[in-house]
Amino acid sequence: MKTIEETQAEIVEEFNSVDDWMDRYTMIIEEGNNLPQLPEKYRTPSNLIEGCQSRVWINAEQTPEGRIHFEADSDAMIVKGIIALLVKVLDNRTPDEVLNADLHFINDIGLGENLSPTRSNGLLAMIKQLRLYAMAYKAKAES
């Protein structure tokens, strides 16, 4: 399995091969289209992310090996692509890996500066929720 750094480097390399931001948005949407379908049973209010203008659901389950498996979906194409990128980087990691990850790919591909303020707030809310899941699983393991 690739490390978080290797996964981020691949994303940055892929996005840096395209200069035009409309093409990058297309790439983000394609990432969302490649996201596995979130089972209906996880589209619950408890999995809905607060702070996002569009609806975003994130489900997390800990594997027997202590890693976190993330599943997500959104009703907005670009947001779905953004959560797909976050899942690509953080899925199947340990709680410590999720908590300590420097998600520099967001700025490296120019995503942070090319999102509306509302979408930027949503991005921060998604990252916060992924890390909250990691904190909860870490605390559970330590108790």
Side-chain angles (χ1 to χ4, degrees):
M1 175 161 73
K2 295 178 189 141
T3 66
I4 287 176
E5 274 308 309
E6 290 168 337
T7 304
Q8 289 191 96
E10 280 183 2
I11 291 169
V12 171
E13 184 178 339
E14 186 180 335
F15 275 81
N16 284 345
S17 69
V18 176
D19 290 331
D20 181 59
W21 253 97
M22 293 313 293
D23 291 337
R24 287 186 180 199
Y25 280 128
T26 300
M27 292 171 70
I28 291 168
I29 291 167
E30 286 173 10
E31 286 289 340
N33 291 338
N34 293 331
L35 196 62
Q37 181 73 30
L38 182 69
E40 199 60 41
K41 67 181 180 179
Y42 298 131
R43 292 172 175 272
T44 62
S46 64
N47 285 341
L48 204 55
I49 305 306
E50 297 292 326
C52 288
Q53 184 176 16
S54 47
R55 296 180 348 149
V56 179
W57 298 269
I58 300 175
N59 183 61
E61 294 178 4
Q62 196 163 34
T63 67
E65 299 81 30
R67 296 181 173 279
I68 304 172
H69 173 59
F70 291 110
E71 296 175 286
D73 198 3
S74 175
D75 61 359
M77 292 186 305
I78 290 176
V79 176
K80 184 173 182 172
I82 293 168
I83 192 63
L85 288 169
L86 290 169
V87 167
K88 182 184 249 185
V89 172
L90 297 176
D91 187 39
N92 205 27
R93 307 289 178 186
T94 66
D96 280 336
E97 286 175 311
V98 173
L99 291 170
N100 297 324
D102 172 13
L103 300 174
H104 59 80
F105 81 93
I106 294 165
N107 290 325
D108 293 352
I109 66 174
L111 189 57
E113 64 202 40
N114 284 286
L115 290 178
S116 67
T118 306
R119 283 213 178 106
S120 291
N121 288 339
L123 171 61
L124 293 174
M126 288 183 269
I127 293 169
K128 179 181 174 185
Q129 185 59 50
L130 293 165
R131 290 194 166 137
L132 284 171
Y133 277 125
M135 277 193 273
Y137 282 121
K138 181 177 178 166
K140 182 180 173 188
E142 290 172 353
S143 65

